[in-house]
Amino acid sequence: MAKTSLSEGGTPKTRRGGFLLFSMVLAGLSFAAHAKDIPTLHVGWTIPAEEAKYWMMRRPDAFPDLGKTYKIEWTHFQGTAPMVEAMLAGALDCSSQAPLSLGQGAVNGGLKAYIVAQHAGESAKSFSVYWGVLDGSPIKTVEDLKGKTIGVNVYGSGVAGQLAAILHKHGLDMSKDVKLVETGFPGSEAALRSGRVDAAVFVQPFAGRAQAKGGIHSLFSMQDLMPNTVQIVEVCRKDIADKSPALIKRYVRDLTRAMKMALAHRDETLKVDAEITHAPVAALQDYLLTDKDFARDPGAHPDFAAIQTMFDEYAKLGLLKHPLKVSDFRRNDLTAPLQ
């Protein structure tokens, strides 16, 4: 029979080894169980102007709760309207939204959500989304767009809604008087220069790139519609938020922290944006977080008054089938800034 040798303390080595192995197995099971218990948020994002999210995706170590008390599964979309469908289908818990996309999701699909933060907007001192035309184009005024082809990023987007409002202000009906072509933001310049569209929508960084090449000028911008336009807010489904408010608070707390970090550490934000957009830092340097960029609230606080104004305008235009109250999308204890 094989002998079992003893350790210095008198414990059989085989028994000690078995105990250590058993302990390691228990520790592994405990870690796996703990990891499984961490709640996960499914979050949609897009480009541009979501620097707070980009920081959370690319610099997660800067957020003590992220990956420890909760996790995020990120999904990239080409615009806000598709994220409404994903939220209605239960595939997303939170996402970035334009006020129009959110409003149409609520009116047409019954989406119930809270606006918890704001990523970007416009002010009198900031960049404003604009539609450009080629130098030498016969289109000199908004009225000249009648019968022409106009580019938008995505059908049904907030930008498309703002276009409708501008056209209406100048006596044109977007559904009857012009033709829309979906180009996406990156493809706007090429669509305009090739003649696919007569007027194209521009946001940064694509606006700066087009201006550097020359031959394009602004025909009108959102500043012609209203001085304070909300472009992108963060929303979370009401059922998720009401069921797990602590989870949403962690997320909004991190969005608040991320916005402050993005604004305070511009050099690092340039690197983060470059990683997300695959644009060189040099291409971002000239505009990102300057007066050539969108306006951002340091605490990511939503401009509810401006959103209500936009809801009212969209209802007048028929883009929303009935009026909406922004208060129905508000829960103060879940709204940025949170510490």
Side-chain angles (χ1 to χ4, degrees), residues 62-78:
F63 306 92
D65 282 338
L66 189 55
K68 299 176 180 64
T69 64
Y70 81 106
K71 297 186 296 183
I72 296 177
E73 289 188 2
W74 303 97
T75 304
H76 181 220
F77 289 79
Q78 292 300 320

Side-chain angles (χ1 to χ4, degrees), residues 187-210:
S188 289
E189 181 185 355
L192 180 60
R193 293 190 188 278
S194 68
R196 183 181 173 212
V197 299
D198 299 300
V201 61
F202 288 94
V203 300
Q204 296 290 26
F206 314 109
R209 183 179 66 187

Side-chain angles (χ1 to χ4, degrees), residues 171-187:
L172 299 179
D173 185 327
M174 189 172 73
S175 65
K176 300 176 181 178
D177 295 325
V178 300
K179 177 183 178 182
L180 296 187
V181 171
E182 195 174 66
T183 63
F185 290 130

Side-chain angles (χ1 to χ4, degrees), residues 24-336:
M24 291 173 65
V25 171
L26 283 180
L29 290 173
S30 176
F31 176 80
H34 176 68
K36 188 176 181 180
D37 289 341
I38 296 177
T40 299
L41 276 177
H42 298 85
V43 178
W45 64 279
T46 188
I47 296 172
E50 296 183 23
E51 276 66 33
K53 286 184 176 180
Y54 306 159
W55 263 82
M56 292 173 69
M57 284 188 280
R58 293 295 181 169
R59 302 293 185 270
D61 291 344
F63 306 92
D65 282 338
L66 189 55
K68 299 176 180 64
T69 64
Y70 81 106
K71 297 186 296 183
I72 296 177
E73 289 188 2
W74 303 97
T75 304
H76 181 220
F77 289 79
Q78 292 300 320
T80 56
M83 285 188 275
V84 169
E85 297 300 322
M87 293 187 77
L88 287 169
L92 290 179
D93 302 318
C94 301
S95 71
S96 42
Q97 287 297 322
L100 178 59
S101 303
L102 173 61
Q104 289 182 332
V107 171
N108 300 331
L111 177 64
K112 297 183 183 300
Y114 294 123
I115 300 169
V116 299
Q118 182 167 313
H119 294 288
E122 295 185 15
S123 73
K125 297 180 180 181
S126 76
F127 171 82
S128 180
V129 174
Y130 70 86
W131 270 261
V133 296
L134 293 175
D135 292 350
S137 168
I139 300 172
K140 306 297 182 183
T141 67
V142 176
E143 289 80 3
D144 292 337
L145 288 170
K146 186 171 183 178
K148 304 299 184 182
T149 301
I150 306 177
V152 293
N153 60 322
V154 177
Y155 300 135
S157 67
V159 165
Q162 292 162 2
L163 171 63
I166 287 284
L167 293 175
H168 181 265
K169 181 179 178 181
H170 291 267
L172 299 179
D173 185 327
M174 189 172 73
S175 65
K176 300 176 181 178
D177 295 325
V178 300
K179 177 183 178 182
L180 296 187
V181 171
E182 195 174 66
T183 63
F185 290 130
S188 289
E189 181 185 355
L192 180 60
R193 293 190 188 278
S194 68
R196 183 181 173 212
V197 299
D198 299 300
V201 61
F202 288 94
V203 300
Q204 296 290 26
F206 314 109
R209 183 179 66 187
Q211 289 167 355
K213 291 181 182 178
I216 294 174
H217 66 271
S218 172
L219 180 67
F220 62 87
S221 77
M222 291 303 100
Q223 289 295 319
D224 300 330
L225 179 65
M226 59 184 292
N228 296 304
T229 302
V230 175
Q231 291 292 352
I232 310 172
V233 295
E234 187 70 14
V235 307
C236 294
R237 281 169 38 204
K238 187 177 185 296
D239 59 331
I240 297 295
D242 289 345
K243 180 181 179 181
S244 304
L247 172 60
I248 301 303
K249 284 182 180 179
R250 293 188 193 110
Y251 178 51
V252 177
R253 190 180 298 119
D254 279 346
L255 283 174
T256 303
R257 177 182 176 87
M259 181 64 80
K260 290 182 178 179
M261 295 177 73
L263 296 178
H265 304 285
R266 182 173 183 263
D267 287 347
E268 190 64 22
T269 302
L270 285 166
K271 296 176 184 177
V272 170
D273 261 52
E275 293 171 18
I276 289 291
T277 64
H278 303 294
V281 169
L284 305 172
Q285 179 75 44
D286 184 54
Y287 84 91
L288 187 67
L289 302 183
T290 71
D291 59 2
K292 298 178 182 178
D293 198 2
F294 287 120
R296 292 170 177 79
D297 182 271
H301 182 66
D303 187 342
F304 288 106
I307 296 169
Q308 183 64 67
T309 298
M310 296 174 76
F311 279 166
D312 294 343
E313 183 69 22
Y314 294 146
K316 290 178 183 177
L317 291 171
L319 297 175
L320 296 177
K321 294 179 181 178
H322 60 73
L324 291 173
K325 294 182 179 178
V326 74
S327 57
D328 292 336
F329 299 87
R330 186 170 186 172
R331 180 171 162 173
N332 289 335
D333 64 320
L334 301 181
T335 302

